Amino acid sequence: MVGGESEKRKVVVVVGGGVAGALLAKNMQFDADVVLIDPKEYFEIPWACLRSMVEPSFAERILINHTDYLSNGRIITSRATGITESEVFTEDGQTILYDYLVLATGHADPTPRSRKDRLEQFQQDNATIKSSSSVLIIGGGRMGVELAGEISVDYPEKKVTLIHKGPRLLEFIGAKASNKALKWLKLKGVDVLLEQSVDLDSITEGERVFTTSAGKSVSADCHFVCVGRPLGSTWLQETFLKESLDKSKRLMVDKNLRVKGRRNIFAIGDITDIHEIKLGYLAQDQAAVVAKNLKLLLKGGRESKLATYKPAPAMAVVSLGRKRGVAQLPFTAISGRLPGMFKSKDLFVGRTRKMMGVGPRVV
């Protein structure tokens, strides 16, 4: 445990070191014995990873070792495999007792364990893009659209094709914003194929010709899949919280972000059933609410004083290359340099590093 008075302090276990879990662990480390369980040794700023594929040096700023911001907590680099009402079990055979548990496992992305290997992965992706004259992107959500934008701006000579199974891009925001993004991509020469898909199971290594569900053949030297990110809730289906998962396998939470029916178990981030766009800054807002509630409970405060979380209205900024973007606001959508100035240049990396207490990193 951490600190000289650890036996007197409550144990807060955070499962998941992503946007929400990492910030919560940081904010709680001097108020309790914090244990962070994550299969990676680092926190990654997820919305900036696409820039790192076209500019690998950018990855130096978006990958932050857990030890850089969690100086007063215990870090277990393993995957959580099970829980009871007082314990968490990990893949490497450890059993961790807890007084309070926060579940923040987000999506089950297959990322490398070490920061070094993740940096090398970005280098490999960049080498693949550089050596290809044509690129296929499968999926027209935020990731697919932003990757198409990054490649078309940094490598305008490359032929980029974007395939999306839905009737419009960026279906998580309004149609006006979607149309603005589509128009911009087409102006950049991106070939956008809507209401078509590719059978991912049929793709073999080194594939160069892809057939869509509409029978169209697309030639590409390389491809990137930007769909099918599974929720990180599979392991919970074998635990006593299986009844707390909704039909979409998200954890049902109350207004205080506690798992419904549980007094000492919270959930934050993409894994919750909160009806709002799943975005990083909202996950950070949830982490702030839970940190406030945990601090209150640790001090013996009344539950009637617990902070509540209110779902946010539809608002998002999608980056289109380095200088432009499209923004979905509560009552309108805008595109061009203004949303680009807001997000695209730095992708909120400087702000996030400051929030995590690690400051700027010059590369």
Side-chain angles (χ1 to χ4, degrees):
M1 293 300 179
V2 181
E5 300 179 359
S6 58
E7 56 276 355
K8 298 179 183 178
R9 287 163 31 122
K10 298 291 186 181
V11 178
V12 174
V13 173
V14 183
V15 182
V19 173
L23 182 60
L24 179 71
K26 173 192 176 296
N27 288 346
M28 291 302 303
Q29 62 181 318
F30 298 106
D31 296 276
D33 278 337
V34 171
V35 182
L36 176 65
I37 301 174
D38 191 62
K40 311 183 308 303
E41 297 174 353
Y42 55 92
F43 158 62
E44 176 173 325
I45 303 175
W47 54 83
C49 65
L50 304 173
R51 175 71 50 83
S52 299
M53 294 171 65
V54 299
E55 183 187 342
S57 62
F58 193 70
E60 291 283 352
R61 298 178 62 215
I62 77 166
L63 303 178
I64 304 167
N65 284 322
H66 292 315
T67 52
D68 289 345
Y69 66 85
L70 194 61
S71 61
N72 198 46
R74 179 183 172 196
I75 301 164
I76 296 177
T77 308
S78 186
R79 195 176 303 277
T81 56
I83 55 172
T84 69
E85 294 182 347
S86 61
E87 302 166 309
V88 180
F89 308 109
T90 62
E91 197 171 50
D92 62 359
Q94 298 188 59
T95 299
I96 301 95
L97 294 171
Y98 68 85
D99 294 293
Y100 293 95
L101 174 65
V102 184
L103 299 169
T105 47
H107 286 84
D109 295 317
T111 49
R113 175 188 175 97
S114 75
R115 183 177 183 276
K116 178 177 178 292
D117 288 345
R118 183 61 168 143
L119 288 170
E120 289 180 358
Q121 195 173 61
F122 284 125
Q123 292 281 0
Q124 292 168 4
D125 286 338
N126 180 249
T128 297
I129 293 170
K130 278 185 171 180
S131 65
S132 301
S133 60
S134 53
V135 180
L136 170 63
I137 298 170
I138 301 171
R142 183 195 66 82
M143 288 185 64
V145 168
E146 290 196 343
L147 180 58
E150 294 287 343
I151 296 174
S152 64
V153 166
D154 276 32
Y155 301 100
E157 75 282 0
K158 299 186 186 300
K159 175 61 179 175
V160 179
T161 302
L162 175 62
I163 295 177
H164 182 57
K165 68 177 181 180
R168 63 182 178 89
L169 301 175
L170 305 173
E171 292 173 274
F172 68 98
I173 57 178
K176 187 176 180 181
S178 296
N179 291 335
K180 287 178 180 294
L182 176 63
K183 182 179 179 181
W184 185 88
L185 288 173
K186 287 186 173 180
L187 285 174
K188 290 295 179 182
V190 178
D191 190 10
V192 180
L193 305 178
L194 296 174
E195 298 187 88
Q196 298 183 51
S197 60
V198 174
D199 182 4
L200 300 179
D201 293 332
S202 69
I203 297 176
T204 58
E205 187 175 349
E207 190 94 29
R208 290 291 184 272
V209 179
F210 305 80
T211 303
T212 75
S213 55
K216 182 178 177 63
S217 292
V218 177
S219 298
D221 295 328
C222 69
H223 75 281
F224 295 98
V225 178
C226 296
V227 295
R229 298 173 65 220
L231 278 173
S233 59
T234 303
W235 65 289
L236 292 172
Q237 297 177 56
E238 305 300 323
T239 73
F240 73 100
L241 288 184
K242 62 183 178 183
E243 301 300 328
S244 300
L245 297 169
D246 67 9
K247 292 181 180 179
S248 300
K249 305 305 179 186
R250 298 184 188 274
L251 280 169
M252 296 179 283
V253 296
D254 62 20
K255 63 182 181 180
N256 308 122
L257 298 179
R258 288 191 290 195
V259 175
K260 287 184 176 179
R262 302 292 166 181
R263 296 174 65 87
N264 66 332
I265 302 178
F266 294 80
I268 50 178
D270 290 356
I271 200 173
T272 69
D273 71 335
I274 297 171
H275 296 294
E276 64 182 2
I277 299 175
K278 301 298 184 182
L279 295 173
Y281 78 94
L282 296 177
Q284 291 170 334
D285 288 347
Q286 292 171 27
V289 169
V290 171
K292 186 175 181 180
N293 286 339
L294 283 171
K295 290 176 183 180
L296 177 74
L297 293 171
L298 289 168
K299 292 177 181 177
R302 291 183 295 173
E303 293 203 2
S304 60
K305 298 293 186 180
L306 288 173
T308 60
Y309 180 80
K310 295 181 180 179
M315 191 165 65
V317 180
V318 177
S319 179
L320 299 174
R322 295 175 181 268
K323 296 182 179 180
R324 296 183 180 273
V326 59
Q328 173 67 61
L329 304 176
F331 302 106
T332 188
I334 59 174
S335 64
R337 287 189 176 273
L338 183 59
M341 289 170 60
F342 184 62
K343 177 183 179 182
S344 302
K345 182 179 180 180
D346 179 63
L347 300 176
F348 305 132
V349 170
R351 174 186 171 189
T352 305
R353 291 185 62 87
K354 184 177 180 181
M355 184 183 297
M356 297 303 295
V358 293
R361 183 182 180 116
V362 180
V363 296

